[in-house]
Amino acid sequence: FLSLVAEFCCGFFVILILGNFWFLAVLYLLWLYLDWETPCTGGRRSQWVRSWTVWKYFREYFPIHLIKTSDLSPNHNYLLGFHPHGVLVAGAFGNFCTGPIFKNLFPGLTPYLHIMPIWFGCPFFREYIMSAGMVSASKESVSYVLNNKGGGHASIIVIGGAEESLNAHPGSLTLNILKRKGFIKMALKHGAHLVPVFSFGENELFKQVANPKGSWLRNVQEKLQKIMGFALPLFHARGVFQYSFGLIPYRQPIHTVVGSPIPVKRNLNPTSEEIEQLHALYLQKLRKLFEEHKRNYGIPEHKSLIFE
């Protein structure tokens, strides 16, 4: 959905340049230059945009639910690790960028969903995603959010990143996380409490073309991901009036479960050993969260998370 909106915004900008409104395009480019750092300094959210009625229908389509397992004190800052990426990241967008759900469950906390910086280079689209509460996933942006001295900020990072979307097959429980430790270092540097989040149903929204590791398709996808910075999963789902083929996601319920916080003491210069220890503890808490809730959301007893 976001990709379609981005394409529309880029197309509209091209029309301005080629049409009789080129001066508007020039003015916008000037604005873009002056406003370039905003996605790294907390963005520019709009409660009006976040409350659009269309998002209510978006959440009800699947439907999307947010489940709280523990209180999060607004006196602290938090780094929420979201899993898995899926194709659409619908649970992250629906729960943290639309409506009052998060605020009602966790009063006093302001959520910031971090996404790839490349999206903020798209004319007009950047204004839209910032208004929904999305900010850059750069180190500077995460630091800005977590550096709030009064607490009350929650950074949401999709830990597996774009690479993990290539594993987004129905039933898949493989997470790209073993080598991803930057978020651990950021939590330590800012003393932000870590919170594992697992979104059940995220991988069930689309069917992806078979791309096992080592296949020619997977090799091409991984090379393109390294070059462009984002992955290109080949997926399909349902159409508007039929269920056999299309790009509209299947109506599968999504239950995003927010786990208990892992207290983190501020450490401006964490050692590799300290990062490894906290990373291992995070994996342990994430696995425990999954095991405690998998029965509620249709995951067979014998299935467990696979970390790679």
Side-chain angles (χ1 to χ4, degrees), residues 1 46-61 93-94 97-100:
F1 176 77
S46 166
Q47 194 55 43
W48 175 68
V49 173
R50 290 169 60 87
S51 301
W52 281 352
T53 303
V54 66
W55 303 135
K56 176 177 177 290
Y57 294 123
F58 172 80
R59 294 190 302 271
E60 291 178 350
Y61 171 81
F93 178 74
C97 295
T98 71

Side-chain angles (χ1 to χ4, degrees), residues 58-265:
F58 172 80
R59 294 190 302 271
E60 291 178 350
Y61 171 81
F62 298 97
I64 295 175
H65 305 279
L66 186 65
I67 291 86
K68 171 183 175 180
T69 63
S70 177
D71 289 332
L72 298 181
S73 170
N75 296 323
H76 301 290
N77 293 318
Y78 298 89
L79 195 159
L80 279 63
F82 184 92
H83 312 271
H85 184 287
V87 171
L88 191 63
V89 204
F93 178 74
N95 286 312
F96 304 122
C97 295
T98 71
I101 303 172
F102 184 86
K103 280 283 189 180
N104 291 340
L105 289 179
F106 304 101
L109 285 184
T110 301
Y112 295 83
L113 179 60
H114 296 271
I115 64 174
M116 290 186 298
I118 190 174
W119 291 113
F120 296 97
C122 181
F124 301 114
F125 181 68
R126 68 188 298 273
E127 321 303 335
Y128 160 68
I129 56 180
M130 277 196 291
S131 66
M134 287 179 256
V135 292
S136 172
S138 66
K139 291 181 180 179
E140 296 78 10
S141 177
V142 177
S143 292
Y144 184 91
V145 173
L146 296 181
N147 203 35
N148 187 40
K149 294 182 179 179
H153 281 189
S155 280
I156 298 98
I157 301 178
V158 184
I159 305 299
E163 182 183 358
E164 194 172 82
S165 67
L166 300 179
N167 290 328
H169 296 273
S172 173
L173 295 172
T174 301
L175 304 180
N176 292 58
I177 192 172
L178 291 182
K179 295 181 181 179
R180 296 179 180 265
K181 300 171 186 176
F183 74 103
I184 298 292
K185 189 174 182 179
M186 293 298 292
L188 282 166
K189 281 189 171 184
H190 295 280
H193 295 354
L194 281 167
V195 182
V197 178
F198 195 87
S199 194
F200 293 89
E202 199 74 46
N203 284 339
E204 318 305 315
L205 306 185
F206 296 93
K207 291 180 180 178
Q208 190 172 168
V209 175
N211 59 342
K213 287 200 170 183
S215 66
W216 70 269
L217 175 58
R218 185 59 168 258
N219 291 335
V220 170
Q221 289 175 319
E222 289 176 347
K223 288 180 181 178
L224 289 175
Q225 191 266 326
K226 290 179 180 179
I227 294 172
M228 299 184 298
F230 57 90
L232 292 173
L234 299 179
F235 59 89
H236 68 89
R238 53 162 290 186
V240 179
F241 301 111
Q242 45 77 30
Y243 293 85
S244 57
F245 189 82
L247 295 179
I248 298 175
Y250 292 115
R251 297 192 70 177
Q252 295 290 337
I254 298 172
H255 295 88
T256 303
V257 184
V258 180
S260 301
I262 303 170
V264 178
K265 291 184 179 181

